[in-house]
Amino acid sequence: MTLSQVAQGVEVPSYDRAGAPIGVVHFGPGAFHRAHQAWYFDKMLAAGAGAFAVAAVSLRSGGVRAALAPQDGLYVLATREAQPSFRVIGSIKAVLTAPETPEAVFAQLMSARLVTATVTEKGYCLTPAGGLDLAHPDIVHDLTRPPFPVSLVGWLAQGLARRRDAGLAPFLTLSCDNLPDNGGKLGRAVAAFARASGDDALADWIAREAVFPCSMVDSITPATDDALRDQVEAAVGLFDAWPVQREGFLQWVVEDRLGDLSPAFAAAGVTLTADVAAFERAKLRLLNGAHSTLAYVGLLKGHETVAQAMADRELAAFVETLMADDIAPSLDPGPDLDVPAYIAAILARFRNPAIVHRLSQIAWDGSQKLPVRILQTTADALAAGRSVARLAVPVAAWMRFIERRASGGGEIVDPLAGDLARRRGVAEFLALSRVFPRDLAANPVWRGAVEAAYAAL
């Protein structure tokens, strides 16, 4: 991409990219990272002192490298509101594919100040209880067939081991995925991996010295398609192999444990707080829980996008009631979060006609998403004696969605796809202990609610 040829009115990097040092390694440079964290790093670089460029690392696919390397890491971010805008993001200076150039990845880890990650919930290789799943195939591979890992946890553990052996301080690691206590879970998983590998000293060093702050991220980011490529080319005047798009709303809340990186983050608009959990729970349960509900019920009703599902008055009313009456009571938001206002903002974002957010994209990986988006809220409601009838609907709709995909021969995008495709009926799904905790699956009130919703759907 030649910046001098970009059309007028399109924002371009205002800083010296060539002189910007790489200090961030990011695992999982998909659309969300490039529309969200990379935008923040771009803003930090434009502000000047204390900012770093990014080395983007794909754990498996070479697609991002193939698209961005010929463009020198540059790409276009389209912001989808009533008045759309376009910006060339320059914060990514290196694009690597881990299996192809593992030593180059390790070299970046040796010099990194910060490591960030967006690998989705399944990329952490955790058990339903939140600990490292030592039986996960990727973890088994990384423990038994070194030296080059395939999992995020394996890469972090080996990168930290090399830094310890070189007498270097650990890099700071910032999870940006939708997991409660994401930093805590990732830190414990990396230490557990080191201990399972037989290096107790490394595990103790990681637990003692390495910092894994929690964070919460939010911005609706629809998948890239040819229509977006055409729109970007028309607006920018250049072809972009992989532009990205998002809504105007953007949020990044980070536990204030960044040390001397804090000023740069704060100047870029990142919220630094001692309590990420309140923001995290509200986002996971209200926004993400409502998203999954819209996806599974909306797909069963024949809708394709979030905006279309929200135009369905019956479904929109159901989701609003679910958020206000069933999810909000499970939150302890603290003084900084106005829950009714947050719900209203979410519903307005869902109705944004400029965002074409496909329900099929949201529906992926339901076995990993539902436990944190719906089931924890359900457990809280049961413990408090509140109704779980509406909370059962997205779960039952997910079951119907899986059955429909399996019977129709469609692809099931889920780490448990093979197992899910064989299941029929509520009892068989609830027996899946990797998704449903046994005490919840055995609860007669919950089973009855799911069975009633399943029958109604």
Side-chain angles (χ1 to χ4, degrees):
M1 184 176 292
T2 305
L3 291 177
S4 62
Q5 298 177 359
V6 171
Q8 289 187 348
V10 176
E11 291 186 81
V12 298
S14 59
Y15 50 88
D16 175 20
R17 287 189 78 228
I22 293 177
V24 180
V25 174
H26 181 84
F27 287 99
F32 186 82
H33 165 71
R34 291 187 291 120
H36 188 278
Q37 298 96 43
W39 179 90
Y40 277 103
F41 290 127
D42 195 65
K43 193 173 181 182
M44 292 180 207
L45 287 166
F52 297 99
V54 180
V57 179
S58 298
L59 286 172
R60 301 184 190 277
S61 170
V64 174
R65 181 191 53 75
L68 298 191
Q71 301 178 180
D72 195 27
L74 296 165
Y75 61 92
V76 175
L77 167 63
T79 302
R80 312 302 253 166
E81 293 293 332
Q83 293 295 324
S85 63
F86 301 88
R87 176 177 179 142
V88 177
I89 303 296
S91 55
I92 295 178
K93 285 188 61 175
V95 187
L96 304 172
T97 304
E100 297 175 3
T101 55
E103 286 299 342
V105 177
F106 279 125
Q108 293 290 349
L109 289 174
M110 289 297 286
S111 61
R113 290 289 312 281
L114 173 68
V115 175
T116 55
T118 48
V119 295
T120 76
E121 294 95 330
K122 64 183 178 182
Y124 290 75
C125 304
L126 303 178
T127 66
L132 182 64
D133 184 359
L134 294 173
H136 191 286
D138 289 353
I139 300 302
V140 171
H141 172 279
D142 291 352
L143 288 172
T144 58
R145 292 194 293 279
F148 299 124
V150 297
S151 71
L152 170 67
V153 170
W155 274 105
L156 294 175
Q158 291 206 35
L160 288 167
R162 292 192 181 204
R163 289 179 71 111
R164 179 204 58 174
D165 294 345
L168 299 175
F171 43 70
L172 189 149
T173 306
L174 187 57
S175 168
C176 303
D177 283 294
N178 289 324
L179 286 169
D181 186 32
N182 51 14
K185 284 186 172 70
L186 182 56
R188 290 187 292 272
V190 173
F193 180 94
R195 203 169 300 282
S197 71
D199 194 338
D200 287 344
L202 174 62
D204 292 341
W205 182 79
I206 291 170
R208 184 179 64 252
E209 303 290 340
V211 178
F212 293 81
C214 292
S215 81
M216 189 275 282
V217 297
D218 190 8
S219 191
I220 297 172
T221 309
T224 298
D225 55 17
D226 288 339
L228 175 64
R229 290 184 177 90
D230 292 342
Q231 291 162 3
V232 165
E233 185 171 10
V236 176
L238 295 169
F239 175 75
D240 184 350
W242 203 335
V244 294
Q245 59 184 332
R246 64 163 167 80
E247 62 176 333
F249 180 91
L250 192 69
Q251 186 179 34
W252 195 2
V253 181
V254 177
E255 187 178 6
D256 194 3
R257 300 173 63 200
L258 300 180
D260 61 1
L261 296 179
S262 291
F265 272 68
V270 176
T271 299
L272 301 178
T273 179
D275 183 16
V276 175
F279 292 88
E280 187 177 75
R281 282 191 298 271
K283 191 252 183 173
L284 283 169
R285 297 188 180 196
L286 287 171
L287 186 141
N288 296 130
H291 246 168
S292 289
T293 304
L294 284 171
Y296 298 123
V297 179
L299 286 167
L300 292 178
K301 296 191 75 174
H303 303 306
E304 295 184 357
T305 69
V306 171
Q308 288 175 3
M310 287 298 293
D312 181 326
R313 292 185 179 180
E314 180 184 29
L315 179 52
F318 174 83
V319 168
E320 184 171 359
T321 302
L322 176 76
M323 295 168 73
D325 294 353
D326 301 294
I327 300 177
S330 73
L331 300 173
D332 182 15
D336 297 328
L337 181 62
D338 182 335
V339 172
Y342 186 52
I343 292 174
I346 290 170
L347 293 170
R349 294 165 62 193
F350 286 172
R351 291 189 176 97
N352 182 355
I355 290 289
V356 182
H357 199 176
R358 299 202 173 278
L359 299 177
S360 56
Q361 180 188 7
I362 301 168
W364 295 345
D365 302 324
S367 71
Q368 308 295 296
K369 293 175 178 176
L370 286 175
V372 295
R373 296 183 175 193
I374 297 293
L375 299 187
Q376 291 179 357
T377 303
T378 300
D380 289 346
L382 288 167
R386 296 192 295 269
S387 170
V388 293
R390 280 183 292 265
L391 289 165
V393 170
V395 175
W398 171 70
M399 296 174 181
R400 289 290 195 189
F401 166 77
I402 293 294
E403 290 175 347
R404 177 184 287 188
R405 299 287 292 181
S407 62
E411 180 185 13
I412 298 174
V413 181
D414 195 289
L416 303 183
D419 191 351
L420 293 174
R422 295 188 294 270
R423 293 181 183 259
R424 297 292 185 274
V426 171
E428 290 190 11
F429 278 103
L430 289 182
L432 191 61
S433 60
R434 292 182 65 182
V435 179
F436 300 99
R438 295 188 185 279
D439 56 345
L440 178 62
N443 185 293
V445 174
W446 171 243
R447 292 183 71 94
V450 177
E451 288 167 353
Y454 179 89
L457 289 166

